[in-house]
Amino acid sequence: MINFSSGHRIGACCLVLAGLGVAACKSDTPTIEAPVAQTVTVVGTDSAESKILSDIYTRALEGAGFRVARRAPVADLAGGYAALNAGAADLFVTYTGELLTYLADAEPAAASTSTTEVATTTTVPETTTTEPADTTAPETTEPDQTASSDSTGGSTGDDSSTTVSADESTTTTISTAGQASAISLNLQSNLIGEILPATLQLGAPSNAEKKPVIACNAQSSTGISLLSDLALVADQRRIAGTDGFKTGSPFGLVGFTKTFDATFAEFVPVSADKIAESIEPAPDSSTTTTVADSTTETTETTETTEAEPIETDADCGAFDSSLDATISTTMVVLDDDKNWVENNGVVPLMTATAYTPIVSQTVNQVSQALSTVDLREMIRQVDAGAAPSTVAGQWLQLAGLTGS
């Protein structure tokens, strides 16, 4: 049995996006009448995470009374998008940041005219400059801890070709979709909805995200939950990462210093598959000390075994993906409270004809319940040999989304 986090947000409401037509989520799960012979065709890629996500949405639809057909996996996002456009599939689960970036190339005409209304009180820069955007803009907290509808991060781009402009009113034009990196999941979804052709429809974005993160071992993270907290003690912490992180920006030592005005005590270069091991060695590598306990009133003496502090090569690690299965449940994944890295939440993309009220209700309930922690744990189970359909079914049951 899989142990999932208890913080499911099944009742959390998502923001109604005018450009998307995303239905508002309700705290109660209404009775769903069985649809009349509607078949939804699902397609995904061959990756473990895509298989899991496809199975979750598929089984949820089947539980709601739909017939579901499964297509052979496609190679990537481009293949899934093409299958939907061709009418060969109805549902493809992808990610907001990746989709927004892809659409800049796939739908250039629509992307160049995409606009969205943003209140002047937000952190979206009101500027007409075409210079590369500053990477210091904040990002939302880790999605499994804060609902996406609460995200209010500012929009910035990477160090390449971001162009963000705005007039003196409340209209902000993002001329190159996908370069507005640290905007909230809902704003990303709104921009996507404006670019998508009328034949496609976006569901509610999920709190489950795939993006670079910093995680620390338990003994180094006491009192630390935010990246801003880490910045205050960074000069006392060692961080492990790949050579790419050493020079990277925004996600890298350069970007961290620029955003948080802090520098780590030491950078420990390791390969991607050794990051977790460098900050949290296997349990059998630690030593123990036996301590006698003679506090009882009897003449018996009991002994307890205490683990000595584990020596590690580093205190924290820079992981390229929050879904990296080597991130253990005892590590603390720090919340990105300054919107440092681009949001990239799980989101269902569907054909407009298949996106009926009951279908949208079903897929959006799944999106609202899913968390990064849960998805990472499911990937860990699949990597260990479990079938994606098995872990998907277990998660749906625990989330209360198994249907009637």
Side-chain angles (χ1 to χ4, degrees):
M1 179 63 67
I2 299 174
N3 293 319
F4 295 106
S5 67
S6 59
H8 295 302
R9 305 180 189 281
I10 299 174
C13 287
C14 60
L15 183 66
V16 177
L17 305 175
L20 297 177
V22 174
C25 303
K26 299 181 179 179
S27 59
D28 300 325
T29 303
T31 302
I32 300 177
E33 296 182 0
V36 180
Q38 181 177 351
T39 299
V40 179
T41 303
V42 179
V43 67
T45 70
D46 207 26
S47 69
E49 66 196 64
S50 182
K51 290 178 180 178
I52 293 167
L53 289 168
S54 295
D55 274 336
I56 286 175
Y57 284 90
T58 291
R59 291 170 71 95
L61 286 168
E62 290 173 335
F66 292 92
R67 292 186 299 187
V68 180
R70 296 170 174 82
R71 275 185 53 89
V74 293
D76 50 22
L77 168 56
Y81 190 78
L84 295 180
N85 269 325
D90 299 307
L91 171 63
F92 178 73
V93 185
T94 183
Y95 297 89
T96 55
E98 294 176 12
L99 180 57
L100 190 54
T101 300
Y102 172 77
L103 288 174
D105 294 326
E107 306 287 351
S112 65
T113 59
S114 174
T115 61
T116 186
E117 293 294 321
V118 179
T120 55
T121 56
T122 65
T123 57
V124 177
E126 293 195 1
T127 175
T128 56
T129 182
T130 57
E131 303 240 345
D134 193 343
T135 59
T136 62
E139 178 200 294
T140 58
T141 58
E142 168 123 348
D144 49 29
Q145 295 168 324
T146 301
S148 62
S149 58
D150 293 333
S151 302
T152 56
S155 68
T156 64
D158 57 21
D159 287 336
S160 56
S161 59
T162 302
T163 302
V164 180
S165 62
D167 58 24
E168 295 181 355
S169 66
T170 60
T171 301
T172 298
T173 302
I174 299 180
S175 59
T176 306
Q179 300 300 318
S181 64
I183 54 180
S184 71
L185 293 173
N186 281 316
L187 187 50
Q188 280 183 325
S189 297
N190 199 21
L191 290 169
I192 292 169
E194 293 178 350
I195 300 170
L196 285 176
T199 55
L200 299 181
Q201 176 71 52
L202 199 70
S206 171
N207 287 308
E209 289 194 79
K210 180 177 70 174
K211 66 183 211 178
V213 293
I214 289 180
C216 300
N217 58 38
Q219 65 191 42
S220 302
S221 55
T222 302
I224 296 177
S225 61
L226 310 175
L227 285 176
S228 290
D229 297 334
L230 178 61
L232 296 176
V233 295
D235 60 351
Q236 305 167 38
R237 298 291 187 272
R238 302 158 299 163
I239 188 166
T242 63
D243 289 337
F245 181 77
K246 182 177 181 179
T247 58
S249 182
F251 187 70
L253 292 180
V254 175
F256 186 85
T257 298
K258 186 176 182 181
T259 302
F260 296 95
D261 192 25
T263 304
F264 288 98
E266 181 185 352
F267 171 69
V268 181
V270 293
S271 59
D273 61 336
K274 298 295 183 181
I275 295 175
E277 182 181 324
S278 68
I279 68 174
E280 191 179 80
D284 60 2
S285 66
S286 63
T287 58
T288 59
T289 301
T290 300
V291 179
D293 181 6
S294 57
T295 59
T296 59
E297 296 180 358
T298 66
T299 57
E300 295 181 359
T301 299
T302 59
E303 293 184 347
T304 59
T305 300
E306 297 180 352
E308 292 183 352
I310 300 174
E311 293 296 327
T312 63
D313 295 325
D315 307 299
C316 303
F319 296 85
D320 286 338
S321 173
S322 53
L323 299 181
D324 189 327
T326 64
I327 299 176
S328 74
T329 55
T330 58
M331 294 180 191
V332 177
V333 178
L334 301 179
D335 287 346
D336 188 354
D337 57 315
K338 287 196 174 183
N339 288 11
W340 178 33
V341 183
E342 179 178 13
N343 287 317
N344 197 36
V346 170
V347 69
L349 180 62
M350 298 192 67
T351 58
T353 53
Y355 196 75
T356 63
I358 300 179
V359 169
S360 63
Q361 175 180 284
T362 301
V363 298
N364 290 348
Q365 284 174 346
V366 170
S367 296
Q368 291 299 308
L370 193 62
S371 76
T372 305
V373 172
D374 288 351
L375 183 52
R376 183 168 61 234
E377 177 59 27
M378 285 186 274
I379 292 172
R380 190 184 349 264
Q381 294 293 323
V382 170
D383 287 348
S389 59
T390 299
V391 298
Q394 290 175 350
W395 179 83
L396 286 165
Q397 183 175 15
L398 290 172
L401 296 174
T402 54
S404 58

